[in-house]
Amino acid sequence: MTLKLPSDISASAELTALRAAGIPVDSLGNAKRGFLFVRSSNGRSQTNIFRWFAGNVGQAPG
């Protein structure tokens, strides 16, 4: 799953958006399961791009 959020969003709003998208995160924004990559965009609009993988990275599909 990929989610783009503004880089100036509050931490609380970021957590809410991640959870609303179905990404299981704890109160610090760490994935409770799977793997969550976060990177900043290089374009005009400053965004953070979140990519969540439900399984572990490198895990074969079951």
Side-chain angles (χ1 to χ4, degrees):
M1 170 181 295
T2 302
L3 182 65
K4 284 181 157 183
L5 297 173
S7 61
D8 61 352
I9 192 172
S10 71
S12 174
E14 183 177 282
L15 289 175
T16 299
L18 291 170
R19 290 175 179 154
I23 300 172
V25 292
D26 63 17
S27 61
L28 297 175
N30 298 314
K32 291 181 179 180
R33 67 177 187 278
F35 195 83
L36 183 63
F37 288 101
V38 184
R39 69 177 179 88
S40 297
S41 68
N42 293 329
R44 286 184 174 176
S45 64
Q46 297 297 313
T47 59
N48 288 326
I49 301 167
F50 297 83
R51 297 216 52 209
W52 179 64
F53 299 87
N56 291 327
V57 173
Q59 178 180 344

